[in-house]
Amino acid sequence: MNSEEIRKEFLAFFEKRGHKVIASSSLIPGDDPSVLITTAGMQQFKKYFTREKDPIKDFGTQRTTSIQKCFRTTDIEEVGDERHLTFFEMLGNFSFGPVGSDDPKDFGVSGYFKRSAICWAYEFLNNLGLKIDFVSVFKGEKNIPYDSESFNIWKELGIDEKKIMKFGREDNFWGPTGEEGPCGPTTEIYIDNIEVWNIVFNEYYQEKSGNLKKLEFPGVDTGMGFERLMKVIQKTATVFETDLFEPLRTRILEINPNIQVRDLRIILDHTRASVFLISDGIYPSNLERGYVLRRILRRLMLKLNKYNLTDKIDIMIKAVIEKFGNIYNNLKNYDKIYEVINKEFKSFERTLKRGLKMFEKYIKGNETEEELGEKLFLLFTSFGLPLDISKELLKEKEMKFTEISNHVFSKLFEEHRKISKSS
Ligand code: SER
């Protein structure tokens, strides 16, 4: 099955079970100043969990389902390995407010909880012919009790007790996004040893102080990474061979079939992510989300430049639009997206070219950790070569930028900043 079919299947499955299908919200979070970029499907529903908004009034039901565009900066530097992404989509179903019924056979509109959420996830995966390897439940920690209910539901569904793992707060407690918000214990589903579906029981509200308050009504927030799901359905080696990266992947490989795998993954992720960020109105800058976009565009340019592909960005943007344009209408604005990327590439071109030359000249490969910190600082202040780019170049040379190198860089940077400020 391809991703277009799964999109439809997923939304139809939950729509049939009383959920209202809600379009993805923008990557710029609407009324939530505590986060820069939308990182989860529940983001646009935060106020329904807290009862500041009324789901019945807005949706006619306490149940919603969506496929949400998400972007996470935490793993930016890991992109290039087999599984990390910045931009991804998340399939989710949600329940807000008083639990009217927790019977998975109830296709009505009232709130539900653990039994329905778990049984539906199980049924949906089962319908696709996927076999669950194992699941995990919250084992209990501090004031939050062990989730025996989820354990028992999984057991009733026929999951072997030995395959119901019990994990603590680190693994099986989710949220909040930003500084405060709904959060709670989770139960998670693993297929082919990949965590595919995270089912969160939003029973708490975490305040800015870190204090957990019980929410008036418990909610459900589930999230299934679309790329991971497609990987297990299409049985590809990594997420990058799923159809979610087509036709982009094929188009790039047609131009140059010899791109190294790590570089190809960075190009795939960063192209897709930039196109989506720009289509939602983010522009490259030195501040906040604009800076996030700038970082990925510059890293993208570094990789394209390595293979003389920079002037093929038009083909790549079009490939992303071809795949997603019918799902996300604002992607159709090719001219604007091209203009933003091209302008950023042009303005970085000279710095990059000169920086690359200087990097080759100064970095010998035998530096101590401290020397490396000093040299990267010099490349940054004298030639404008961003640390991100230098770090990526070090990776290409299989050299390490350690904590110590970072410490030296940061110390020099701080001193430099103070001097420039006072002069
Ligand atoms: N909010 C949870 C997550 O992002 C589940 O949707 O994983």
Side-chain angles (χ1 to χ4, degrees), residues 18-151:
H19 296 65
K20 169 119 196 226
V21 177
I22 305 293
S24 170
S25 64
S26 165
L27 285 164
I28 304 181
D31 54 358
D32 186 356
S34 73
V35 278
L36 278 185
I37 300 185
T38 301
T39 56
M42 61 80 75
Q43 190 103 37
Q44 66 166 325
F45 301 122
K46 260 173 138 172
K47 289 194 169 150
Y48 296 98
F49 288 113
T50 55
R51 309 292 287 161
E52 287 160 84
K53 284 186 172 175
D54 178 0
I56 294 287
K57 198 167 139 245
D58 293 350
F59 311 129
T61 164
Q62 287 174 238
R63 308 173 178 189
T64 61
T65 181
S66 68
I67 299 179
Q68 174 68 46
K69 298 178 270 192
C70 300
F71 184 98
R72 290 187 183 169
T73 49
T74 34
D75 299 325
I76 247 175
E77 286 184 20
E78 310 299 327
V79 176
D81 69 6
E82 291 193 352
R83 58 188 190 89
H84 284 98
L85 295 169
T86 55
F87 172 84
F88 62 98
E89 290 173 278
M90 195 139 82
L91 307 117
N93 57 290
F94 308 88
S95 166
F96 320 108
V99 178
S101 139
D102 197 18
D103 174 359
K105 287 196 199 69
D106 178 353
F107 287 11
V109 297
S110 68
Y112 57 87
F113 205 40
K114 296 185 180 176
R115 181 168 295 276
S116 297
I118 293 175
C119 291
W120 287 335
Y122 177 82
E123 191 184 340
F124 182 77
L125 296 173
N126 222 21
N127 290 350
L128 292 176
L130 296 172
K131 202 179 154 304
I132 294 176
D133 276 340
F134 63 94
V135 298
S136 61
V137 299
F138 186 65
K139 76 170 181 195
E141 217 169 288
K142 290 190 189 134
N143 302 329
I144 316 160
Y146 159 53
D147 185 3
S148 58
E149 209 181 326
S150 294
F151 183 93

Side-chain angles (χ1 to χ4, degrees), residues 296-355:
I296 62 168
L297 276 176
R298 288 179 167 181
R299 166 111 63 65
L300 173 61
M301 187 175 174
L302 173 72
K303 294 300 179 188
L304 294 177
N305 180 68
K306 184 171 165 187
Y307 298 96
N308 279 324
L309 283 175
T310 317
D311 62 351
K312 298 288 187 289
I313 191 70
D314 54 339
I315 298 175
M316 294 163 54
I317 298 169
K318 282 180 185 151
V320 177
I321 298 176
E322 187 179 323
K323 181 72 180 178
F324 297 98
N326 288 333
I327 302 155
Y328 301 104
N329 266 317
N330 56 354
L331 279 186
K332 289 203 171 127
N333 198 346
Y334 166 80
D335 290 344
K336 180 185 119 186
I337 297 170
Y338 175 76
E339 193 194 310
V340 173
I341 296 184
N342 193 42
K343 195 167 151 216
E344 183 67 10
F345 279 6
K346 285 261 156 357
S347 71
F348 189 51
E349 198 174 334
R350 254 187 47 175
T351 307
L352 181 64
K353 294 247 151 95
R354 196 174 51 165

Side-chain angles (χ1 to χ4, degrees), residues 151-176:
F151 183 93
N152 289 329
I153 297 168
W154 284 119
K155 226 169 86 174
E156 281 172 42
L157 285 171
I159 306 284
D160 185 342
E161 266 187 50
K162 287 199 266 337
K163 295 192 167 174
I164 311 175
M165 319 304 247
K166 293 176 191 162
F167 295 143
R169 193 146 179 182
E170 184 100 330
D171 298 293
N172 274 60
F173 191 95
W174 190 86

Side-chain angles (χ1 to χ4, degrees), residues 146-318:
Y146 159 53
D147 185 3
S148 58
E149 209 181 326
S150 294
F151 183 93
N152 289 329
I153 297 168
W154 284 119
K155 226 169 86 174
E156 281 172 42
L157 285 171
I159 306 284
D160 185 342
E161 266 187 50
K162 287 199 266 337
K163 295 192 167 174
I164 311 175
M165 319 304 247
K166 293 176 191 162
F167 295 143
R169 193 146 179 182
E170 184 100 330
D171 298 293
N172 274 60
F173 191 95
W174 190 86
T177 59
E179 290 175 321
E180 59 180 321
C183 55
T186 67
T187 180
E188 301 180 11
I189 302 174
Y190 289 76
I191 299 175
D192 294 344
N193 284 319
I194 300 172
E195 183 212 319
V196 172
W197 206 334
N198 183 16
I199 299 170
V200 186
F201 303 117
N202 278 316
E203 295 175 75
Y204 299 95
Y205 188 94
Q206 183 172 312
E207 297 172 316
K208 276 194 183 140
S209 63
N211 184 42
L212 285 183
K213 237 174 37 186
K214 262 265 189 220
L215 278 170
E216 188 185 353
F217 298 110
V220 173
D221 151 28
T222 91
M224 175 155 57
F226 202 3
E227 292 72 10
R228 293 181 185 185
L229 176 66
M230 290 317 299
K231 180 196 174 302
V232 299
I233 290 176
Q234 298 182 330
K235 303 202 184 313
T236 53
T238 74
V239 292
F240 297 100
E241 290 82 27
T242 65
D243 79 301
L244 287 166
F245 285 95
E246 291 298 340
L248 178 61
R249 187 169 171 277
T250 307
R251 298 272 153 82
I252 298 171
L253 289 174
E254 272 164 13
I255 306 170
N256 185 340
N258 301 318
I259 299 183
Q260 286 166 8
V261 63
R262 193 171 167 275
D263 293 336
L264 178 63
R265 290 172 187 159
I266 294 175
I267 294 173
L268 288 171
D269 174 82
H270 285 18
T271 305
R272 211 170 65 126
S274 312
V275 169
F276 271 94
L277 290 171
I278 297 165
S279 77
D280 273 346
I282 299 173
Y283 292 92
S285 77
N286 284 336
L287 270 182
E288 303 186 330
R289 33 178 111 86
Y291 183 59
V292 173
L293 174 60
R294 172 156 283 168
R295 280 178 70 191
I296 62 168
L297 276 176
R298 288 179 167 181
R299 166 111 63 65
L300 173 61
M301 187 175 174
L302 173 72
K303 294 300 179 188
L304 294 177
N305 180 68
K306 184 171 165 187
Y307 298 96
N308 279 324
L309 283 175
T310 317
D311 62 351
K312 298 288 187 289
I313 191 70
D314 54 339
I315 298 175
M316 294 163 54
I317 298 169
K318 282 180 185 151

